[in-house]
Amino acid sequence: DAERAAGRVRSPFHGVPVVLKDNIDATELATTGGALALIDHRPRLDSRIAAGMKAGGAIILGKANLDEFPFGDFGISTVGGTVGNAYDPSLSTAGSSGGSATSVATSMAALGFGTDTCNSLSNPSGFASLATIRTTRGYTSRAGVMPLNTFNDAVGPMGKTVRDIALALDLVTGVDPGDPVTADAAAD
């Protein structure tokens, strides 16, 4: 608020609350992957996703529940229990990024990030009437992200508009020495 009052606006997400799926590192919060065994795991570094959003002034509001180690389709973990669908809590969120989707669809956060190995961005977003993108391999860094399958995994934003998704990608894409697959990102 002080920066905005002084006329310094870092990005369209300056001061905007966002959530991260609980397999994406942010130094202020534990990264559990939904497993009680990792309840005290505190990352030493931000993921490229968290660092990019913070540089743009976004507020990392919290971590969203997911399928444990992020493997499954129902949003069930030993840390957070079961994620309910935003429109009918008795229904499934249809993917391990369901906590992020429900957070955005219920307006707890303006933007959420999830990960995708096999439809974990598109299915929860579709079930929550949100926009998302499963980025091309190497477009978003996987450094600081608990993997399920490092060859297939991708990180992506979930939001209420395509514009929000595009603006978020502006903050989080690019070359990251922590993920060599992003080396070609500077060419795009």
Side-chain angles (χ1 to χ4, degrees):
D1 290 343
E3 286 181 1
R4 279 189 174 272
R8 181 169 181 241
V9 179
R10 295 192 234 167
S11 82
F13 289 103
H14 194 149
V16 174
V18 301
V19 296
L20 304 174
K21 184 175 176 179
D22 193 13
N23 66 330
I24 302 172
D25 287 347
T27 56
E28 58 271 87
L29 300 164
T31 299
T32 72
L36 280 176
L38 297 174
I39 198 76
D40 293 321
H41 171 67
R42 302 292 274 195
R44 292 177 296 122
L45 301 170
D46 281 327
S47 63
R48 172 67 174 93
I49 300 301
M53 293 306 294
K54 287 178 186 180
I59 306 300
I60 307 296
L61 185 63
K63 295 288 193 82
N65 196 22
L66 68 157
D67 282 285
E68 203 163 297
F69 289 120
F71 184 70
D73 291 329
F74 301 103
I76 301 170
S77 79
T78 55
V79 171
T82 302
V83 177
N85 182 286
Y87 300 104
D88 183 345
S90 71
L91 298 177
S92 171
T93 59
S96 67
S97 296
S100 295
T102 297
S103 295
V104 175
T106 58
S107 298
M108 287 190 252
L111 187 80
F113 280 87
T115 60
D116 188 308
T117 303
C118 183
N119 298 320
S120 289
L121 284 167
S122 59
N123 285 355
S125 291
F127 275 53
S129 299
L130 300 175
T132 192
I133 185 169
R134 187 194 195 288
T135 61
T136 303
R137 188 168 187 260
Y139 193 61
T140 51
S141 174
R142 298 158 305 157
V145 178
M146 185 183 296
L148 176 59
N149 177 323
T150 55
F151 186 78
N152 288 343
D153 287 353
V155 182
M158 307 164 94
K160 292 185 178 179
T161 69
V162 172
R163 183 177 191 272
D164 288 347
I165 301 308
L167 291 169
L169 288 174
D170 285 344
L171 295 174
V172 301
T173 57
V175 176
D176 181 359
D179 185 354
V181 177
T182 65
D184 293 333
D188 297 325

